[in-house]
Amino acid sequence: EPLFRSTNMMRRIYKILFCIALAGFQGCSFLEVEKFGKSDIETFFSDVDGLRSGLAGSYRLLYNFYDGEFSEYPEVAADMLYLSNSEGVSIADQYNYTSDPAQETGAVGYIWRDGLEIIGNVNNILQYAPDLKEKYPGNAAEIELIRAQALYIRALVHLNLCCCYGQHYTYTPDASHWGVPNLSILPSANDPVLRASVYDVYNKRIIPDLEEAIGIFGSTTMDCYHASATACEALLARVYLYMEQWQKASDYATTVIAKVPLTSYENYVNMYVNIETGSEAIFRLNGFRASKDLWKFYDPVSPIARPADTLYTFFDQPDDIRLELLYATKDEVKTKACRKFYVAKDVVEDDKHYDPFVSRVSEMYLIRAEANCYLPGGETTAANDIKALQARALGKQPSEINLVYSSVEDLLKLVEKERIKELCFEGHRLFDITRKKQNMVRESSTNSIVKIKTYPNDWFVLPIPMDEIEANPEIQLNPGVNY
């Protein structure tokens, strides 16, 4: 039997966490999960070690989620990627907009399944944490920090699933269109799991979880490989940008910018290819002995995917440091390639890994710049934020950068252009196209069967997987792609 038919899995997920926690670092066959029952998981969570292991396992599941279809989908379905080898590559269905509900072993099934699996696991942590806090008062502070991290992960995954299976927030005036299930507890065996509106997913799950987590974290500092108050604030900046609540987006971005510096020009490339953290990291995922899929997908030597020619037209300066991550050189031959997930450091093979960014401060400059274009008197702040990123990319001072624009519309185009250059292949592009209500237009030389998708479009979201539909007949479907 597969790991789950998603809703059935959610009803049985307490049987899985015991295996997941152990699998955090050593692997586990999910075909074995039926050996475990509710009594096993209650025993597992009978002490603080169970919470610790459960959290470690959830971080590893989150890494696996990002190291695969979730990171690939918003790029292949957008306009800045060329899929050079689609034979036998399941993500080609998203490249060609031929997603099918029956595609359980590709983006359609895996993103849904893996996301709900993570949510189920952190919900178990959140369920058992209060009792353990009473049982072990000496560990109360640690338990609360575990709970805060679980809240952040739950909010993050709800947002990511909503972006993939629900249209963007402003698709309807009141965001009443379908998002994803809003899960705070494990459903009972007889309860259908229905999708909440996008409004409810954002306002009754994502935002409250992040606000609660910030309150728990307080002034506690965490390294960038763990959720933190700053990570919550950065995600809220993104959430409010998606909601077009410009003032809140700007305010949260400003809060983060005040805490976290940009990585320098000299260290920019190293934070990707040399296993260096990067001073601008807010939250990134530790890929030690886990990296595999994105490395193969973007492998500069034999890439399945490479940057589309269109992307290079956005770079006006040939000495832009970001271009170093968009070319590879072998035997003195320079080729177009994404090196954001390719380790060049001379270390033993087992130590080679890449750590995908979930949030970094460059995104905060871009969020604040875009938001301020819509705020009274915000043009100067927006322009200065773009100057800061361009200056870093060129090894200059912001005062040396001259932006040419004559209207807010021109400035918004500069912001979009900078966002494309800075965040390419980090899992944002399709979501940026749709939330801005733009058409998806590819280069004329694309080998996809789809060169343009006009907005609005049913195909800008994935279908609900057939396994979910069969297990949960009452679940609401996505028009156009489900029937």
Side-chain angles (χ1 to χ4, degrees):
E1 183 184 4
L3 169 57
F4 59 80
R5 295 192 183 278
S6 180
T7 301
N8 285 346
M9 186 283 298
M10 286 163 22
R11 293 170 182 164
R12 307 188 271 113
I13 203 162
Y14 61 82
K15 300 178 182 179
I16 297 176
L17 182 56
F18 185 83
C19 185
I20 291 296
L22 296 178
F25 296 99
Q26 64 189 28
C28 179
S29 170
F30 290 110
L31 299 177
E32 300 173 0
V33 299
E34 295 296 344
K35 294 179 181 179
F36 305 107
K38 188 172 182 180
S39 61
D40 297 289
I41 212 66
E42 288 175 347
T43 301
F44 182 78
F45 278 121
S46 62
D47 57 30
V48 181
D49 281 340
L51 276 189
R52 294 179 185 130
S53 296
L55 182 64
S58 295
Y59 274 117
R60 182 47 53 96
L61 287 175
L62 188 61
Y63 184 92
N64 293 340
F65 182 71
Y66 271 81
D67 184 35
E69 286 82 7
F70 172 71
S71 294
E72 295 165 5
Y73 165 58
E75 304 299 340
V76 301
D79 54 356
M80 297 294 159
L81 180 144
Y82 182 95
L83 202 60
S84 56
N85 178 14
S86 61
E87 186 175 349
V89 179
S90 61
I91 202 74
D93 290 308
Q94 286 63 59
Y95 187 54
N96 292 315
Y97 281 83
T98 55
S99 295
D100 189 295
Q103 292 164 354
E104 292 296 325
T105 57
V108 173
Y110 283 162
I111 295 175
W112 181 269
R113 183 199 72 178
D114 294 349
L116 293 180
E117 185 180 338
I118 297 167
I119 292 171
N121 279 283
V122 294
N123 276 344
N124 271 309
I125 292 170
L126 292 166
Q127 175 184 340
Y128 286 94
D131 289 343
L132 288 174
K133 185 179 173 183
E134 290 186 12
K135 185 177 179 181
Y136 299 98
N139 295 99
E142 179 189 1
I143 291 170
E144 280 294 276
L145 285 179
I146 290 173
R147 198 166 70 83
Q149 292 170 78
L151 286 166
Y152 170 84
I153 293 171
R154 185 168 71 180
L156 173 66
V157 177
H158 271 90
L159 177 63
N160 292 342
L161 289 178
C162 209
C163 287
C164 294
Y165 295 94
Q167 298 280 1
H168 65 94
Y169 191 87
T170 60
Y171 182 76
T172 54
D174 56 359
S176 59
H177 52 290
W178 295 124
V180 293
N182 179 357
L183 298 169
S184 60
I185 58 173
L186 298 177
S188 67
N190 297 318
D191 290 338
V193 178
L194 303 179
R195 298 166 70 186
S197 69
V198 172
Y199 178 92
D200 282 352
V201 176
Y202 275 62
N203 292 283
K204 296 182 180 180
R205 172 55 50 217
I206 298 168
I207 293 173
D209 275 359
L210 293 173
E211 290 177 340
E212 183 179 358
I214 290 171
I216 296 170
F217 281 122
S219 59
T220 303
T221 58
M222 308 284 285
D223 65 50
C224 70
Y225 292 103
H226 294 84
S228 64
T230 306
C232 292
E233 291 159 348
L235 193 57
L236 280 168
R238 185 187 300 174
V239 166
Y240 284 119
L241 180 79
Y242 288 179
M243 296 172 73
E244 296 186 3
Q245 294 193 20
W246 308 119
Q247 190 62 61
K248 288 184 177 180
S250 177
D251 289 346
Y252 273 109
T254 298
T255 297
V256 176
I257 289 168
K259 297 179 183 179
V260 184
L262 285 169
T263 297
S264 68
Y265 171 87
E266 292 77 14
N267 293 326
Y268 187 84
V269 172
N270 287 336
M271 71 178 178
Y272 290 98
V273 303
N274 279 340
I275 322 179
E276 293 186 10
T277 302
S279 61
E280 72 177 63
I282 299 167
F283 180 49
R284 64 189 307 186
L285 299 165
N286 190 341
F288 183 66
R289 296 189 179 175
S291 304
K292 54 178 182 177
D293 288 346
L294 292 177
W295 190 323
K296 295 175 183 176
F297 191 65
Y298 291 112
D299 182 359
V301 178
S302 180
I304 296 171
R306 63 165 175 79
D309 293 344
T310 305
L311 177 59
Y312 297 91
T313 66
F314 288 89
F315 288 87
D316 303 317
Q317 303 293 330
D319 54 346
D320 190 314
I321 192 67
R322 293 168 295 195
L323 281 170
E324 291 193 23
L325 294 168
L326 299 177
Y327 286 104
T329 302
K330 183 179 181 182
D331 299 329
E332 300 184 357
V333 176
K334 194 174 183 180
T335 59
K336 296 172 181 176
C338 170
R339 294 201 300 138
K340 288 190 172 183
F341 307 99
Y342 189 80
V343 179
K345 189 171 184 179
D346 186 17
V347 293
V348 297
E349 201 64 28
D350 282 351
D351 290 343
K352 285 188 176 182
H353 66 278
Y354 51 85
D355 302 336
F357 283 99
V358 176
S359 295
R360 58 188 181 95
V361 81
S362 292
E363 182 195 356
M364 300 299 105
Y365 279 83
L366 291 161
I367 288 174
R368 188 168 69 175
E370 183 176 339
N372 272 280
C373 286
Y374 295 98
L375 295 173
E379 292 92 337
T380 299
T381 298
N384 287 339
D385 284 340
I386 296 307
K387 288 180 181 180
L389 292 179
Q390 289 189 0
R392 188 269 303 277
L394 299 172
K396 296 182 177 181
Q397 294 299 314
S399 59
E400 300 177 79
I401 302 298
N402 180 38
L403 290 186
V404 179
Y405 61 95
S406 58
S407 65
V408 173
E409 289 73 23
D410 288 344
L411 186 55
L412 276 168
K413 290 178 182 177
L414 291 175
V415 174
E416 181 179 16
K417 180 178 179 180
E418 202 63 31
R419 189 173 175 93
I420 289 170
K421 291 187 290 183
E422 186 64 43
L423 299 181
C424 58
F425 310 118
E426 295 184 33
H428 297 275
R429 183 58 185 153
L430 178 65
F431 308 144
D432 285 342
I433 291 171
T434 57
R435 69 180 177 83
K436 293 177 182 179
K437 303 181 181 180
Q438 297 175 343
N439 299 334
M440 191 288 296
V441 182
R442 289 177 170 146
E443 60 187 358
S444 59
S445 62
T446 181
N447 58 353
S448 172
I449 62 175
V450 174
K451 290 182 169 56
I452 183 170
K453 279 290 181 184
T454 57
Y455 181 91
N457 204 298
D458 292 341
W459 286 91
F460 283 147
V461 297
L462 294 171
I464 302 302
M466 185 59 67
D467 262 5
E468 179 65 44
I469 297 167
E470 291 176 352
N472 186 17
E474 295 183 46
I475 193 149
Q476 307 92 334
L477 305 181
N478 280 332
V481 293
N482 271 113
Y483 35 71

